[in-house]
Each structure stands twice: as structure tokens, then as C-alpha cells.
Amino acid sequence: MVETGIPKLDDFLDGGIPAGKSLVYYNQPGIEGEIFGLQTIYTTLKSGGNGVFIVSSTIPDIIKGQFREFGWDIESYNDKLFFVDAYNPLI
């Protein structure tokens, strides 16, 4: 099992995400939910896994800054963390 880094969610999932499976968080526009993805990706990276963060509400540099605000250094995981820039300021 791959832990999400969110204790209550890991309990709900009986220990985390089964190996080989993917986890997608979806939240309604305007609802702050990025912290769940940030926590899960950082926990996965620390455990030796890979992460993909699809950014659709802002530019990727803002999300990278959020990692830093929580004290999570993602610079050493550049080869394991990928950002997909799906943001369009016209939407």
C-alpha cells in the first residue's frame, strides 16, 4: 500500500492506495483542495515514488511555491515529479 500522508484517508482506504493504482483528487472550482494533492505527492516522493500534478487553476510555479510554504523541498525530486500545465487564464 502507498500511504497518502493523510492519516484519516489512509485509515479509510485500509492503509493507503494499492500498489500499481492511481489516485486522482477532484474538487469543485473555487474550493481549496490542493493541499490533499500536495501532501500525497510529497509523501509519495519521500517514499521513492513518482508524482504527476495536473495544474488547472494557476501556473505551476504557484503550486511549487505552495510546496515551499509547507516546508516541503521538492527540488531534489525534479526527476520524479512532473507538472502538467493545463491552466488557461482565459477560462
Side-chain angles (χ1 to χ4, degrees), residues 76-87:
S76 58
Y77 301 109
N78 282 338
D79 60 332
K80 295 193 167 278
L81 176 59
F82 305 93
F83 287 90
V84 176
D85 187 354
Y87 174 64

Side-chain angles (χ1 to χ4, degrees), residues 1-2 13 16-22:
M1 298 300 253
V2 178
L13 296 172
I17 307 159
K21 299 294 181 182
S22 297

Side-chain angles (χ1 to χ4, degrees), residues 1-7 9-11 13-19 23 25 39-45 47:
M1 298 300 253
V2 178
E3 293 182 1
T4 66
I6 304 166
L9 181 56
D10 287 334
D11 288 345
L13 296 172
D14 293 324
I17 307 159
L23 175 66
Y25 289 109
Q39 178 73 40
T40 300
I41 285 180
Y42 189 70
T43 299
T44 300
L45 293 171
S47 300

Side-chain angles (χ1 to χ4, degrees), residues 24-27 29 32-35 37-38 41 51-67 74 81-91:
V24 175
Y25 289 109
Y26 175 79
N27 57 287
E32 297 295 325
E34 289 90 2
I35 185 63
L38 296 174
I41 285 180
V52 176
F53 199 112
I54 300 172
V55 183
S56 62
S57 61
T58 187
I59 61 173
D61 287 341
I62 300 294
I63 300 298
K64 292 175 185 178
Q66 288 179 328
F67 277 102
I74 59 170
L81 176 59
F82 305 93
F83 287 90
V84 176
D85 187 354
Y87 174 64
N88 183 340
L90 300 176
I91 296 178

